[in-house]
Amino acid sequence: VKRIPNAVLLFDSIHKCHPDIIRSLLPILEFGEITDNSGKKISFRHATILFTVTTDSNFGSSSQKLIGFSSNKENQEKNEDITQLKKIIESEFVERVETILGFALHTHESLKEIFYHLQKKILTSLQKRFSIGLNIPDQTIDILIQTAISSVEGARKLLRLFKSEIEDPAMEWLV
């Protein structure tokens, strides 16, 4: 941030970090600057800071509706989301965050699209290298997707399942 004032900083899974780290970020969020160990002030006024937090599946379902004017019910749902977030992260931190966005979990259909993208990628590779195709039954696809949905990991779990259950066995068969 000293050298590149317009930097984008991403703190992934901020809820897992030590409370002292979160407390050290408070001056940045409150005043837009922090003092380094040599006494120099570092400005974050032009930086974009992103934090990710993993919560349960209900979080953010209401905040996606909160664009523009909102009803009292929507405001109440947003306040419930913020209260839930404060249970995970210190409230002083949450109160200083400018915007909170909630993301929906993957659906069966969205994971199916990801699966088809992975399938297309491996099919292209198999066709170019070995001039063969690969047929994956719909039932197999549904089983892998259901396994991924039941996991907290979602798409990451699907990627691992695709590699271990489809890609690796196909490559072993070819070798």
Side-chain angles (χ1 to χ4, degrees):
V1 177
K2 276 184 183 180
R3 288 175 281 171
I4 305 170
N6 296 327
V8 176
L9 304 172
L10 172 64
F11 294 89
D12 192 22
S13 300
I14 192 77
H15 59 286
K16 294 179 183 177
C17 74
H18 194 276
D20 290 343
I21 301 296
I22 290 179
R23 281 191 282 280
S24 69
L25 293 171
L26 292 177
I28 296 170
L29 297 174
E30 181 73 21
F31 306 112
E33 61 186 22
I34 194 168
T35 307
D36 67 7
N37 58 356
S38 64
K40 292 182 182 176
K41 289 193 178 197
I42 303 165
S43 176
F44 284 78
R45 294 185 198 282
H46 300 289
T48 301
I49 305 171
L50 305 170
F51 304 100
T52 67
V53 178
T54 304
T55 63
D56 72 4
S57 61
N58 296 326
F59 183 85
S61 59
S62 62
S63 62
Q64 292 179 352
K65 302 178 217 162
L66 292 175
I67 297 174
F69 298 105
S70 60
S71 68
N72 287 336
K73 182 182 178 203
E74 288 171 332
N75 283 333
Q76 181 181 1
E77 289 172 344
K78 183 177 181 185
N79 288 337
E80 289 171 8
D81 285 348
I82 291 171
T83 302
Q84 182 181 350
L85 195 56
K86 286 180 180 179
K87 290 177 185 175
I88 299 168
I89 302 175
E90 292 185 31
S91 61
E92 301 95 329
F93 183 82
V94 175
E95 291 167 0
R96 287 173 174 84
V97 173
E98 187 175 310
T99 305
I100 298 172
L101 300 173
F103 292 93
L105 294 174
H106 280 288
T107 63
H108 185 66
E109 288 305 313
S110 66
L111 287 175
K112 199 174 234 183
E113 285 182 41
I114 293 169
F115 186 91
Y116 288 143
H117 175 74
L118 295 170
Q119 183 181 13
K120 183 179 176 184
K121 203 166 138 181
I122 193 172
L123 284 174
T124 304
S125 174
L126 287 171
Q127 294 238 261
K128 282 182 183 177
R129 295 174 68 192
F130 303 106
S131 299
I132 62 169
L134 177 66
N135 183 24
I136 303 170
D138 288 339
Q139 185 179 10
T140 303
I141 295 170
D142 288 336
I143 290 169
L144 294 175
I145 290 172
Q146 280 305 116
T147 305
I149 285 178
S150 64
S151 161
V152 177
E153 300 170 73
R156 287 188 182 115
K157 178 72 172 180
L158 182 62
L159 292 172
R160 281 196 290 283
L161 284 170
F162 186 86
K163 182 162 178 37
S164 66
E165 303 298 325
I166 306 291
E167 190 174 353
D168 289 350
M171 294 304 154
E172 285 177 20
W173 181 78
L174 289 169
V175 174

